[in-house]
Structures are given as C-alpha cells and as structure tokens.
C-alpha cells in the first residue's frame, strides 16, 4: 500500500479542476489536499466465486475447520489483512523516533484493539523483562519507594476508559489540506480501557512533603522521555497502568508500566515508566521547551498546553472509505474532549452552511471517544462533509480559520479545527478546506 504524499502545488491543474468543480457545485472556495488517492488503505472487494454463492453450498461448509488451540492467540480473519497501522516514511528521519496511525476508517465503536492503537516513539520500542523492572518514587517524599510490578499489583486497582491523543494529531493539516485519509489526518489517537493503580495511592504510600508541587515521570526507553506534571493532575485521575483492554500492555504501548493522564496530550503519558521524581517546580525539559510548544503571532511561546480540546472527525465516508453507490448512507464518526464528556455533535453536508444533529450511540464517557452517526440518502451530488463537536463545558469545536486567526500559522500541536471531506459524484472522497 502506497503512503500519502504531500500536497502538490495548488496552482497545478488537478487542484484547479477540483477547486472549480466544487465551486460550481456548492459556490464555496475549496482547496484540495492530495494523498494516495481516494481508495488508499482500502482493499477493493474481489469478485465473488459463483460456486460459493447461494443456492450452492460454499466450499468452507464442506470440510472441517481448525480445532481449538490451533490459534493459541487469536488473530483477525485473513480477509481483514488491510486493517493495520500505517506510517508515512518521509514524515520523520527515523522510525525509532516516529509515529504510526490508527486505521480509524476501518474501526467501529469506541474501543481501539490493542494491535491497532497508534504508536509514537522517541527512541524505539523498549523490550523490558518485567522481573527486572522497577518503579522508583523519590524526591520530595517522606519514604522513597522502589516497587516491582508485583508490588504495584497489590495496591487497589481501577479500570478507566480513556482516549490518548498525540498533541501533533492533525498537525500536518495546520497550513492546509495535506494528507488524503482520516487515518493520516486524525489517526494519532486511540481509546482503550486501562487497568492500574491510581497514582494518588502510590504517592500517599511515599508520603508527599508539603512543598511537593510537580512530578517528573521518566521512561526506561532509549530517549529517557520526561515531562513535568503538576501535582493536581497526579492526585486527580492519573493512573499507573499495567493493562489495556483486559491484557498486559503491549511493548509499543509501554509494557510493563505506563502513566495514564486522561484528557491530556499523549506526550505526557510516559511509557515504560521507571521513575517519578517529586519536586517543587517544573523541570522545563526538552519536551516542554523546544518541543510541544507553539509560537504565537506575537512571538510568545504557547506552552504547558496539557488538555486536548473538543474535536471530531467523520471516519466513514472518508478518503480511504469511499461511498459505494447512491442510496441510503450511514455516516459515522468519532468525537472526544480532554475537558469532559461530549454532549453533542452536528454534521454538515454542505461545508458548514447547514448543520444537523448527529446521533450519539454507545457509551458517552468522560474523556473518552464517543461514536456518532447520521443517516441520509445520497443522490450522487457532490458533498462537503463536516462534523462539529461540543463538550459538557459548552466548548464548541472551531473552524480551522478561527483557530488560525487566534494562533497564527506556526503551530503543529493542538489542531482541533473542523475537518472537511469532499465527496465526488463517483463516491471518491478528497481532503479539502472550505473558505
């Protein structure tokens, strides 16, 4: 499967034709983003073998299948082999410090399978023997701790469904439509159930000193990832997790221990957690000074932007999931907010001119992905699909233009602007922007 390519010169004939086509159809100014094509990441259905169609008895009904334990660890059907994480090779210089993307367009519900959750590594995947791993808690505490995995499992545990979003999710789109597929524009996110120990319980065991205000969690990977975390978050809903979706963390997700900070940017969810230092002020590490900050139009740096604002995306139809013919169409998408639960999603078919309430379905949880649907009959006319989320605080997802007006063009992080998909009469779909 080919990877997405950067947006070509907007003055070229392909972009101009797309601009004119949509302008004539809907009267809006549109600039198209070009990637791997509308069907990227989508396996075309093979022509069926007539001998397996009714009224014939299909071949798989004519012999016994594999027995139990022939597959000791279950795996998806071979016919779902295209449902995988993907990366963009030209995006980073090294795959050890890079990212892969969740195939959002091929998933249902709100829970991400463990093997499909996006990856973001700064020094490659650490392969750790849990018997030799320790978690140290030290600094401004009364009793420094050195805990084994088994020690941690003896503390009272909790289960929490939460989304994890990289601060750079959609970052490539900040200056315009770039990558043609929601896997690539929005795929640095996943949502799982974590099992672990409230960080508050571990800190209580160590005994915080009165001047304890900040934590410095550190990972055991080659990058020794560190971030400053305010004590208020640590004592609120932070978790030291050792399981996700009912099984041990996968190595790429931080096995055997990771920090979980619901609603906050993924860079702070330190994986392969080996140390927590307690201090009285932030450490101003590389990951919160030269990285994970944004230059505002007035020259000031925007930093310590922990919470992820309300955001949504239509996952299907989308560039990797085209519409397969006219008629009844189910529009599906995901919404989330790092400041609480989603309390509504609106959908537009005409680039934001008119909005319709989408239907939320499944659990609507605090700081978790929320699934929404909108059903309509498609008559083959061009569409400009958008979704707009709002959370329980009253915050409404902004347009990209409004976001840029406030924060300028120098950002990478925290792009929660409204995404637009352009549906062509063929059912193919492009990533575009609407003015």
């Amino acid at each position: 499967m080919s990877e997405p390519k950067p947006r070509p010169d907007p003055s070229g004939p392909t972009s101009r034709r797309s601009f004119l086509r949509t302008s004539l159809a809907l009267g809006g100014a549109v600039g198209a983003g070009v990637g791997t094509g509308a069907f990227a990441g989508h396996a075309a259905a093979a022509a069926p073998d007539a001998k397996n169609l009714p009224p014939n008895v299909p071949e798989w009904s004519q012999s016994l299948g594999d027995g139990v334990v022939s597959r000791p660890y279950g795996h998806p059907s071979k016919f779902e082999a295209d449902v995988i994480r993907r990366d963009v090779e030209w995006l980073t210089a090294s795959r050890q410090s890079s990212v892969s993307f969740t195939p959002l367009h091929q998933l249902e519900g709100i829970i991400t399978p463990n093997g499909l959750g996006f990856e973001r590594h700064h020094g490659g995947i650490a392969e750790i023997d849990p018997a030799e791993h320790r978690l140290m808690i030290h600094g401004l505490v009364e009793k420094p701790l050195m805990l084994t995995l088994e020690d941690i499992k003896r503390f009272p545990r909790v289960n929490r469904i939460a989304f994890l979003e990289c601060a750079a999710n959609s970052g490539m789109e900040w200056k315009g439509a770039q990558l043609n597929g929601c896997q690539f524009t929005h795929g640095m996110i996943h949502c799982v159930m974590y099992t672990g120990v409230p960080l508050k319980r571990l800190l209580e065991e160590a005994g915080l000193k009165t001047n304890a205000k900040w934590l410095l969690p550190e990972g055991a990977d080659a990058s020794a990832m560190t971030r400053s975390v305010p004590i208020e978050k640590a004592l609120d809903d932070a978790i030291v997790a050792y399981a996700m979706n009912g099984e041990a963390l996968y190595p790429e997700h931080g096995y055997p221990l990771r920090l979980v900070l619901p609603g906050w940017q993924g860079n702070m969810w330190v994986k392969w957690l080996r140390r927590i230092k307690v201090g009285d002020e932030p450490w101003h590490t590389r990951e919160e000074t030269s990285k994970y900050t944004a230059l505002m139009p007035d020259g000031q740096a925007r930093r310590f932007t922990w919470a992820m604002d309300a955001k949504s995306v239509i996952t299907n139809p989308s560039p990797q999931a085209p519409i397969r013919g006219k008629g009844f169409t189910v529009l599906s998408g995901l919404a989330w907010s790092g400041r609480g639960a989603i309390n509504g999603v609106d959908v537009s078919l005409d680039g934001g001119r008119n909005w319709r309430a989408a239907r939320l379905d499944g659990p609507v949880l605090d700081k978790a992905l929320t699934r929404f649907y909108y059903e309509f009959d498609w008559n083959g006319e061009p569409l400009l699909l958008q979704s707009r989320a709002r959370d329980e605080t009253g915050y409404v997802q902004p347009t990209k233009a409004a976001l840029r007006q406030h924060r300028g063009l120098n950002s990478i992080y925290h792009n929660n602007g409204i995404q637009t998909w352009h549906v062509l009469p063929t059912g193919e779909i492009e990533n575009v922007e609407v003015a």
Side-chain angles (χ1 to χ4, degrees):
M1 193 67 62
S2 60
E3 67 181 31
K5 298 177 176 62
R7 181 186 181 187
D9 181 353
S11 65
T14 302
S15 292
R16 186 178 298 112
R17 282 196 298 270
S18 178
F19 177 95
L20 292 174
R21 177 170 58 241
T22 309
S23 296
L24 290 172
L26 295 169
V30 177
V34 178
T36 57
F39 295 87
H42 183 94
D49 189 336
K51 73 175 185 292
N52 288 323
L53 299 178
N56 300 320
V57 176
E59 57 184 338
W60 47 83
S61 299
Q62 300 178 39
S63 61
L64 296 175
D66 293 341
V68 297
V69 199
S70 59
R71 304 167 189 178
Y73 192 94
H75 52 80
S77 164
K78 64 183 180 181
F79 299 104
E80 300 296 322
D82 68 320
V83 184
I84 57 173
R85 293 182 289 224
R86 302 179 189 278
D87 71 339
V88 180
E89 288 192 34
W90 51 260
L91 197 59
T92 57
S94 163
R95 286 190 170 179
Q96 285 70 39
S97 182
S98 191
V99 62
S100 67
F101 302 86
T102 304
L104 297 178
H105 61 293
Q106 294 170 307
L107 302 182
E108 298 290 346
I110 67 169
I111 297 297
T112 310
N114 289 350
L116 294 178
F118 86 98
E119 307 161 277
R120 173 65 172 110
H121 311 314
H122 293 256
I125 299 170
E127 295 284 357
I128 295 174
D129 183 342
E132 299 175 1
H133 187 71
R134 301 292 184 270
L135 173 61
M136 298 174 281
I137 301 178
H138 67 114
L140 296 180
V141 296
E142 301 294 342
K143 182 180 65 174
L145 300 178
M146 181 82 74
L147 302 170
T148 66
L149 181 60
E150 294 308 312
D151 291 334
I152 292 171
K153 288 183 176 181
R154 298 188 70 175
F155 283 83
R157 64 192 66 176
V158 295
N159 295 283
R160 172 70 184 263
I161 295 175
F163 76 82
L164 187 165
E165 183 181 17
C166 179
N169 198 24
S170 310
M172 285 289 291
E173 305 296 301
W174 194 270
K175 295 183 179 180
Q178 296 290 328
L179 302 179
N180 216 33
C182 75
Q183 180 170 17
F184 304 111
T185 60
H186 289 71
M188 284 191 272
I189 189 171
H190 55 69
C191 183
V192 306
M193 174 177 280
Y194 293 98
T195 302
V197 177
L199 178 53
K200 179 180 180 179
R201 296 299 299 266
L202 299 180
L203 296 175
E204 288 173 343
E205 183 73 12
L208 292 173
K209 293 188 175 181
T210 56
N211 57 337
K213 301 296 181 185
W214 291 83
L215 305 183
L216 184 74
E218 180 183 86
D221 61 320
S223 74
M225 174 61 66
T226 53
R227 282 297 302 266
S228 299
V229 178
I231 197 71
E232 292 81 8
K233 183 66 171 178
L235 299 178
D236 180 19
D237 57 1
I239 301 169
V240 174
Y242 44 79
M244 56 191 289
N245 291 339
E247 61 180 337
L249 294 166
Y250 280 20
E252 63 266 36
H253 295 302
Y255 179 87
L257 291 173
R258 84 168 307 162
L259 184 61
V260 171
L261 299 174
W264 284 22
Q265 61 186 31
N267 175 259
M268 303 180 74
W269 298 40
V270 174
K271 296 185 286 188
W272 312 290
L273 184 65
R274 67 175 293 271
R275 183 170 71 97
I276 297 175
K277 184 176 182 179
V278 182
D280 58 359
E281 60 182 6
W283 279 261
H284 304 292
T285 68
R286 172 184 179 272
E287 301 302 327
E288 54 200 3
T289 53
S290 67
K291 302 297 181 183
Y292 297 95
T293 62
L295 188 63
M296 299 290 282
D298 63 1
Q300 295 292 310
R302 183 175 183 262
R303 66 190 191 109
F304 288 154
T305 51
W306 300 311
M308 304 304 293
D309 290 316
K311 189 172 178 179
S312 67
V313 65
I314 295 169
T315 58
N316 198 313
S318 64
Q320 294 164 287
I323 301 179
R324 298 293 189 183
K326 300 177 184 178
F328 186 76
T329 300
V330 177
L331 180 154
S332 177
L334 292 166
W336 59 96
S337 173
R339 303 187 189 278
I342 293 295
N343 72 357
V345 177
D346 298 319
V347 168
S348 176
L349 307 183
D350 55 10
R353 290 181 174 179
N354 297 283
W355 293 95
R356 303 158 173 84
R359 173 171 58 88
L360 307 185
D361 193 80
V364 179
L365 304 173
D366 178 57
K367 303 180 183 73
L369 292 185
T370 299
R371 178 63 66 174
F372 65 86
Y373 297 102
Y374 180 78
E375 293 87 15
F376 66 100
D377 283 308
W378 185 54
N379 61 8
E381 293 181 354
L383 302 174
L384 290 174
L385 303 180
Q386 295 182 341
S387 62
R388 180 179 66 187
R390 62 183 179 277
D391 64 26
E392 62 184 354
T393 71
Y395 178 91
V396 178
Q397 183 181 0
T399 64
K400 290 184 180 180
L403 204 60
R404 291 171 184 141
Q405 184 176 10
H406 175 60
R407 289 169 48 195
L409 293 175
N410 293 315
S411 287
I412 298 174
Y413 308 109
H414 293 266
N415 178 6
N416 68 319
I418 291 172
Q419 176 66 49
T420 307
W421 302 131
H422 178 203
V423 181
L424 305 176
T426 60
E428 294 180 89
I429 300 172
E430 298 176 342
N431 174 12
V432 302
E433 287 205 24
V434 177

